[in-house]
Amino acid sequence: MRAPEPQALHQMTKDTILAALESGRMRWEGKLLSKAKREAIAEYLGVKDATTPAEITGYCARDLDPPANLPVWEGWGADLANSRYQPGLAAGIDRSQVKDLKLKWAFGFPGAAATFGQPTAFAGKLYVGSEDGTVYAIDAATGCLWWMFKAPATVKTAISIARKGSTVFFGDTNGNVYALKAEDGSVVWKAHPDPHPAARITGSPLLFGTRLYVPISSGEEGASADPAYPCCTFRGSVVALDAGTGKEIWRAFTIAEEPKPTHQSAQGVQYWGPSGAAVWSSPTADLKRHAIYVATGNNYSGPPTEASDSVVAFDMDTGKKIWSRQLTKTDVWNSGCVAEKKDNCPEQPGDDFDFGAPPILKSLSTVQDVLLLAQKSGIVYALDPERRGKLLWKSRLGQGGPLGGVEWGGAADNRYVYFPLSDFDFSNPLAGGGLFALDLRSGRQVWHRAAPKPACAGQFGCSAAQMAPPTLIPGVVFAGSLDGHLRAYDTRQGDAIWDFDTAQEFRTTNGVRAHGGSLNGAGPTVVAGMLYVNTGYTNAMAGNALLAFSVDAR
């Protein structure tokens, strides 16, 4: 269901494929193979190893001095509330200028078939992770390269920046967290906050003050496709680390109960539970209530818990659970349910309606706040954080599914919240998609803009579905699609006012051959008159480009 197309695999380097089989997201499949077979697969599928640092071109001149006091796009959600809203002065682009956006430069990720980490902008630099684990510091204005750092696994998270700009923080899919010097990419510290062998970090760590709040997810759901895998023992969690040292301050599990042996298969495989409730997305901070909110995934194995498909509030200082609210009950599901041999699939599987999108916190008035949760079920929920998550309203956008509903998130201003709809259908590239504007106070649908018919229909991964999170500036919401298009919509009525097809070849600042594809896991970053977006995704249309747009591009 989430496998890359063969064409995408052939764009990856041999080292990347071998690392995936030995220590990365395919290690559960790779452990069934001999070392010789893993190397043979990498040799057959992969391309020549990526360009070495000595071969990379486009380094910045050392005397290049970025302008001082530039606006910031911080981490995944632009603020602690994950609103994905950039105010007008910081955006540097208004509604009347959007139609004039033009490509200014492009950057290519070597040996990659997908783009993941959303760019963070700080002090004239962009910080962005990549599929092979390389983190890049790029000049925001010109696209030249300041430095690179190589992590051993894919970096899907956005980068968080210490308030004075001295340190950058991120996680990788092997479950490691890193702090690097922003000046040169050297390591300050490295931590591995969860010892579970399947633990990974896909949601972006949230930095506040001297603490880094790290969400922990897992590859165990995928490992369960192997009927011999003893599913499942992972529990989602949030870990608070000291930003200066990487030392653990507190750890809070989403499921309080430790997994225990439950039953055995006919082949003698021991099963465990409860498990799952991973935290796939970035935490949200509520300074008024001194709380961290996270949205959780489904249970992997029974018994079902109240922690799955939920929002959980933890105390920022201690990690103590303040309250939780479950929005879909008994959603017990793993990849064994779509495997040829379904030994690991629960007897009564759920719908895989977990939350991949983080909570959004907004103020309705000086005394009333709202916490917004958008689910793969296709339903958006508004909860009252002051009253332990009491339901204020809910609104259905689509039919939902394992790759349906709202996949990665929305964006909100003080009146409306905007969500793209996925509802991806493998058999129908015309299905799904669309952008919705909802009233924050009532959930009333203000407008809906249907997805255009994809011009690339028939190409693997091309679809009208819109999985990528949107980005909002005053009067304009930017939203990407699996058909490769990034579009800008007027927030008044939802009219499309700008459209760029990213699924094409690009000449890059670093000399790497690059092309765009589907827009999926990361949304645009808008700051200081520029828009930046990653394009390409492995289980849709592959790509390996970071694009930069401005209204004054030449």
Side-chain angles (χ1 to χ4, degrees):
M1 197 164 59
R2 294 174 174 84
E5 61 168 324
Q7 180 183 352
L9 290 169
H10 285 304
Q11 295 174 36
M12 298 179 186
T13 67
K14 299 171 185 176
D15 282 351
T16 298
I17 292 172
L18 187 60
L21 286 167
E22 292 186 338
S23 61
R25 57 186 178 226
M26 293 295 291
R27 63 183 179 272
W28 304 106
E29 291 79 4
K31 70 178 183 178
L32 303 176
L33 304 171
S34 67
K35 182 173 179 60
K37 287 184 177 181
R38 292 194 296 267
E39 291 175 345
I41 289 171
E43 181 70 27
Y44 170 70
L45 287 174
V47 297
K48 174 184 174 291
D49 290 345
T51 308
T52 65
E55 297 172 316
I56 288 284
T57 62
Y59 278 92
C60 298
R62 295 297 98 178
D63 59 353
L64 184 62
D65 190 16
N69 302 316
L70 286 176
V72 172
W73 179 284
E74 170 62 30
W76 189 89
D79 54 32
L80 296 174
N82 278 321
S83 73
R84 300 191 59 80
Y85 174 76
Q86 184 72 293
L89 288 177
I93 305 170
D94 62 32
R95 181 164 44 204
S96 67
Q97 295 172 308
V98 166
K99 67 181 185 305
D100 298 320
L101 282 170
K102 294 179 178 60
L103 183 68
K104 186 170 185 179
W105 54 260
F107 184 90
F109 299 108
T115 57
F116 294 106
Q118 180 177 282
T120 287
F122 191 93
K125 291 187 177 74
L126 289 183
Y127 301 93
V128 61
S130 66
E131 186 175 37
D132 74 350
T134 305
V135 173
Y136 298 88
I138 302 168
D139 186 75
T142 67
C144 64
L145 180 63
W146 284 102
W147 53 256
M148 300 183 295
F149 170 83
K150 182 69 170 66
T154 297
V155 175
K156 289 190 172 186
T157 73
I159 311 295
S160 293
I161 310 285
R163 289 292 174 252
K164 293 183 179 180
S166 61
T167 314
V168 302
F169 306 91
F170 60 92
D172 70 18
T173 55
N174 277 354
N176 300 307
V177 183
Y178 302 83
L180 309 181
K181 289 184 179 179
E183 180 182 11
D184 58 13
S186 58
V187 176
V188 178
W189 54 257
K190 175 183 176 182
H192 190 74
D194 192 315
H196 194 284
R200 58 172 56 181
I201 298 165
T202 53
S204 302
L206 181 72
L207 179 68
F208 177 67
T210 59
R211 293 188 179 184
L212 189 69
Y213 297 94
V214 181
I216 309 293
S217 63
S218 162
E220 194 173 38
E221 187 177 45
S224 301
D226 176 4
Y229 182 79
C231 178
C232 282
T233 56
F234 171 83
R235 294 178 292 162
S237 65
V238 179
V239 180
L241 302 180
D242 184 289
T245 64
K247 300 296 185 183
E248 180 179 314
I249 299 171
W250 57 255
R251 171 193 306 271
F253 288 101
T254 54
I255 301 173
E257 180 184 355
E258 293 187 14
K260 299 179 177 62
T262 54
H263 62 287
Q264 291 187 350
S265 71
Q267 290 72 36
V269 178
Q270 179 65 62
Y271 296 140
W272 297 72
S275 63
V279 185
W280 295 100
S281 58
S282 184
T284 299
D286 183 345
L287 303 187
K288 184 189 300 184
R289 298 169 185 86
H290 214 64
I292 289 290
Y293 303 118
V294 295
T296 69
N298 51 277
N299 285 129
Y300 299 162
S301 60
T305 71
E306 294 183 353
S308 63
D309 294 9
S310 298
V311 57
V312 186
F314 297 107
D315 183 273
M316 293 181 73
D317 281 343
T318 65
K320 180 181 178 181
K321 186 170 79 170
I322 304 171
W323 58 265
S324 65
R325 171 88 184 200
Q326 187 172 50
L327 297 165
T328 300
K329 295 182 179 181
T330 64
D331 188 7
V332 186
W333 188 93
N334 61 59
S335 292
C337 298
V338 292
E340 182 179 353
K341 295 182 179 180
K342 304 187 186 307
D343 299 47
N344 265 320
C345 184
E347 290 185 8
Q348 295 181 315
D351 295 304
D352 189 22
F353 278 169
D354 55 332
F355 287 95
I360 300 174
L361 179 66
K362 294 299 296 184
S363 294
L364 301 179
S365 67
T366 55
V367 296
Q368 176 70 66
D369 294 334
V370 61
L371 194 63
L372 301 155
L373 281 298
Q375 196 175 12
K376 287 164 58 179
S377 63
I379 300 176
V380 177
Y381 300 89
L383 309 181
D384 185 347
E386 187 65 30
R387 302 171 66 187
R388 302 179 64 85
K390 177 181 172 61
L391 182 67
L392 298 174
W393 54 258
K394 64 180 180 179
S395 179
R396 176 170 286 280
L397 306 185
Q399 65 183 17
L403 290 177
V406 178
E407 287 288 308
W408 296 113
D413 54 27
N414 291 327
R415 297 182 63 192
Y416 305 128
V417 62
Y418 305 86
F419 287 108
L421 179 68
S422 172
D423 278 6
F424 177 80
D425 185 339
F426 282 98
S427 62
N428 182 7
L430 305 183
L435 186 66
F436 295 79
L438 304 179
D439 186 279
L440 282 180
R441 287 158 179 77
S442 65
R444 174 182 62 88
Q445 189 179 121
V446 179
W447 53 257
H448 165 236
R449 182 59 57 186
K453 181 179 179 180
C456 55
Q459 182 177 343
F460 183 95
C462 173
S463 170
Q466 293 177 242
M467 297 185 183
T471 294
L472 183 63
I473 65 173
V476 182
V477 58
F478 296 92
S481 171
L482 294 191
D483 69 0
H485 285 255
L486 178 63
R487 300 179 177 94
Y489 300 84
D490 190 314
T491 57
R492 292 172 294 190
Q493 296 173 332
D495 297 329
I497 56 177
W498 180 77
D499 187 333
F500 187 89
D501 184 2
T502 71
Q504 55 180 294
E505 299 284 335
F506 296 99
R507 184 177 178 180
T508 64
T509 58
N510 60 334
V512 172
R513 184 176 179 181
H515 63 92
S518 294
L519 289 93
N520 194 328
T525 293
V526 182
V527 62
M530 300 279 290
L531 181 151
Y532 308 94
V533 69
N534 279 327
T535 170
Y537 213 76
T538 48
N539 65 341
M541 295 194 298
N544 67 325
L546 167 63
L547 307 180
F549 299 86
S550 73
V551 295
D552 60 355
R554 294 179 177 85

